[in-house]
Amino acid sequence: MKLIRSGNRGEEKPGILLHDERYDTSGLGEDYTHDFLASGGLQRLAFFVEKEKDRLPKVAPTERWGVPLANPGKIICVGLNYHDHISETGFIPEAEPILFLKAMSALNGPFDGITIPKGSLETDWETELGVVIGKTGTNIEKPEAIDFIAGYILVNDVSERAYMKKRGGTWDKGKGCNTFAPLGPYFVTKDEIPDPGNLRIWLTLNGELMQNGNTSGLITKIPDLVAYSSEFFGLFPGDIISTGSPAGSGVGRTPQRFLRPGDIIEYGIDGLGSGRQECREF
């Protein structure tokens, strides 16, 4: 299933994408919250849709696409998880995966637009595969990790690299700015993505192809990331692990190219749809 949420910010209604049309599933009486995922909501939704599919109301084409998950608890991001991205950034590879958290206040819809922070010098793009956690776990064993995955979601880990590298402290300063965590357009259940380790990732800037990678290039693979992350953070339904970005970011270009007001990025991953963000001044 492809789960969506539609409507004005703060007023979104749950829905589903069927045959490229959006349908309202409010009749189920549940939004796509962490409690929904924890309590077998995906199974209830599948039964409801099968029973009501000929009577579901359509969502108007003009309705805003919202964040597909109502209340993710946290977004755990993985840094430098593709060799080609490490090369273009000039960072030194670490012995273990780099993890950091992205602020929930950065959540943004797939077409809402990106606000460039006041004083920003190096706002950059990073298209990433997000893993949505479906049940609670800590110190998960690698062979069991796939059982903790509910599905996948398109993420853009928008980053202000000068804040990250030149303002002291951790990367978080450049990762959690408002609008810097666009999610969606939909949350895809894992049965629809049989091989998340072989998905094309792409991004264009003003129509020019910048990122053209594949999740086969992940250094630390998805089950290993789930298990590894659970050593440090309790994983809970609705949490997202953003698995890292392949090469093609602005920091890796010669000369470097960062986002400016009026720029448009369009980006996507096989099976997870695409997003479009127009950049604006603070």
Side-chain angles (χ1 to χ4, degrees), residues 29-281:
E30 302 182 67
D31 202 353
Y32 303 147
T33 65
H34 45 64
D35 289 338
F36 169 85
L37 290 175
S39 63
L42 290 175
Q43 290 78 14
R44 293 192 297 276
L45 177 64
F47 180 80
F48 173 80
V49 170
E50 180 60 30
K51 180 182 175 184
E52 302 291 332
K53 61 186 177 184
D54 294 329
R55 292 183 289 274
L56 292 174
K58 281 189 177 183
V59 176
T62 54
E63 282 281 356
R64 170 182 172 268
W65 292 72
V67 175
L69 296 170
N71 57 355
K74 57 181 172 290
I75 301 178
I76 301 169
C77 294
V78 184
L80 305 182
N81 202 25
Y82 289 80
H83 287 297
D84 55 5
H85 185 54
I86 294 174
S87 297
E88 72 174 357
T89 59
F91 282 108
I92 298 173
E94 300 282 349
E96 297 188 25
I98 297 168
L99 303 181
F100 57 91
L101 296 175
K102 212 164 176 76
M104 289 301 95
S105 55
L107 285 175
N108 199 22
F111 308 104
D112 284 347
I114 292 168
T115 300
I116 298 176
K118 185 177 181 180
S120 167
L121 299 174
E122 298 180 2
T123 296
D124 205 350
W125 57 85
E126 293 186 279
T127 310
E128 304 192 0
L129 171 67
V131 177
V132 180
I133 300 300
K135 63 180 183 178
T136 301
T138 303
N139 294 317
I140 298 166
E141 298 293 332
K142 289 181 185 179
E144 301 171 358
I146 196 72
D147 296 332
F148 288 80
I149 297 174
Y152 304 95
I153 194 167
L154 176 63
V155 180
N156 206 295
D157 176 22
V158 184
S159 309
E160 212 301 341
R161 299 196 184 279
Y163 289 7
M164 289 168 54
K165 298 185 292 184
K166 302 172 185 177
R167 299 292 298 272
T170 67
W171 286 8
D172 301 87
K173 288 180 180 177
K175 294 289 190 174
C177 305
N178 294 344
T179 74
F180 272 25
L183 300 182
Y186 27 78
F187 156 46
V188 183
T189 53
K190 67 180 177 183
D191 58 293
E192 292 210 15
I193 308 291
D195 185 6
N198 185 24
L199 303 174
R200 181 181 177 238
I201 301 178
W202 60 271
L203 178 141
T204 64
L205 171 65
N206 301 328
E208 181 182 353
L209 186 65
M210 296 289 177
Q211 289 189 285
N212 188 24
N214 193 288
T215 56
S216 61
L218 284 165
I219 296 171
T220 304
K221 306 301 183 183
I222 290 166
D224 296 337
L225 284 176
V226 172
Y228 184 80
S229 299
S230 75
E231 292 183 39
F232 307 97
F233 307 100
L235 297 182
F236 299 92
D239 286 352
I240 297 167
I241 301 173
S242 194
T243 57
S245 175
S249 295
V251 71
R253 298 187 67 79
T254 304
Q256 293 180 331
R257 172 66 160 91
F258 298 110
L259 292 171
R260 301 187 287 256
D263 282 342
I264 294 173
I265 55 170
E266 296 179 87
Y267 54 93
I269 297 179
D270 288 351
L272 301 184
S274 60
R276 180 185 186 277
Q277 306 291 343
E278 183 169 355
C279 298
R280 54 181 177 254
E281 287 186 286

